Amino acid sequence: MKIKSKHFKKVLFVGPNFKKRKGGIASVLRLYSLYIEDFTFFPSAYLQNTFLNFLFLPFLCSVFTLRLLFAGKSIKIVHIHGASRGSFYRKYLFFWIAKTIFCKKVIYHIHGAEYHVFYANASQRERNKIKSMINSCDAVIALSKEWSQFFKKEFNPKQLFILNNIVENNEEKATREKNTIVQLLFLGRIGERKGTFDLLKAIASHRTYFMNKIKLIIGGDGEVEELKKAIQKYTLQDFVEYVGWVDGEKKEVLLAQSHILILPSYNEGLPISLLEGMSYKMPIIATNVGGIPQILENQKNGISIQPGNKEQLAEAIRFYVENPEKITEHGQASYQKVQAYFPSEIVKELERIYSKVL
């Protein structure tokens, strides 16, 4: 059911085209569009291809300018969803147009899992731009307490809010069966940052023990060829299945049937995939980085590990193999914890933020 508020009519959401793009920001915007009655959106990036997006950027900025020009006073807030690197530079242009030319209230909603790395590696000129945007916006939204502390330490935002990512209630869709093989599910961009190859190495180093006990399903894009080579190299064809990028019904089936969601990342914001797994009553195995400690309580709704620690990763998987009753127990705890991230709660909090900014 869509939620109505007088404030939502005054907001223009800016972010990647959630109907064509992949990733966490697109997932958040898609759910906003489903649950907010008056959802007005403008795409800052239209295609999946980064180079083409930059080619189209001058055109999009021109259309955005016209959009605000003809909107007049009806749009009070421009709510920009962004991340680091290329995303920042695109969003900076939209911020500058909205703030400098049209004097709109601007909210910068920062999703980037590596924003701290992006800022640390930036040149002085780039740092000045980042500071200018964050400090000039009327509000900054962080995804967790940990990220909020980072923005307080490095910048001086006028207002700083913490807003959870949004996820649907999928309790009734969970159809997994208890069986002798524990099915692990990894969803995300395949690569070193997400710990994909650490996961393969952890399983490979204990392959004799895990034989006929586990199956790992990997869904995502990124370093696909490297993944396939690693599966061959470690002879994990009997353990690991790569299913490509998954969304829609295919993703629902995997979430409903798998037992544990696993994400051994090195950097994170607040991963949508973990929230989705929790909404399907799954325990999670994940690293204690970014906003993950906010949703993962060790030995309560999953197991928390150190990034890069492959032995801890293997032991966490072993724990659920040897204690299958904990899959149900921890999965139920996950579902209880994730309820604060359901649409009714998030949209209500979003409305409170708009009220304060206005």
Side-chain angles (χ1 to χ4, degrees), residues 83-142:
S84 53
R85 301 184 178 90
S87 173
F88 168 79
Y89 297 111
R90 286 194 301 271
K91 305 303 164 43
Y92 184 87
L93 293 175
F94 291 96
F95 150 75
W96 188 87
I97 292 167
K99 193 72 182 167
T100 308
I101 299 177
F102 294 97
C103 300
K104 301 293 183 183
K105 302 277 188 182
V106 177
I107 296 174
Y108 186 25
H109 195 150
I110 305 176
H111 297 258
E114 293 188 298
Y115 211 94
H116 58 310
V117 177
F118 166 60
Y119 183 68
N121 294 336
S123 67
Q124 189 57 53
R125 184 180 178 184
E126 289 168 329
R127 283 189 173 204
N128 290 341
K129 262 190 170 29
I130 298 166
K131 281 186 177 180
S132 170
M133 182 167 172
I134 290 178
N135 294 344
S136 300
C137 281
D138 297 275
V140 170
I141 294 179

Side-chain angles (χ1 to χ4, degrees), residues 201-236:
K201 291 172 186 174
I203 294 172
S205 63
H206 298 272
R207 69 185 324 280
T208 303
Y209 173 80
F210 288 131
M211 180 71 73
N212 299 322
K213 293 187 180 75
I214 68 166
K215 173 148 191 177
L216 170 63
I217 307 291
I218 296 178
D221 60 2
E223 298 175 27
V224 173
E225 290 307 312
E226 288 80 355
L227 173 70
K228 292 177 180 178
K229 288 176 185 175
I231 293 172
Q232 292 286 333
K233 177 183 175 182
Y234 300 123
T235 60
L236 293 176

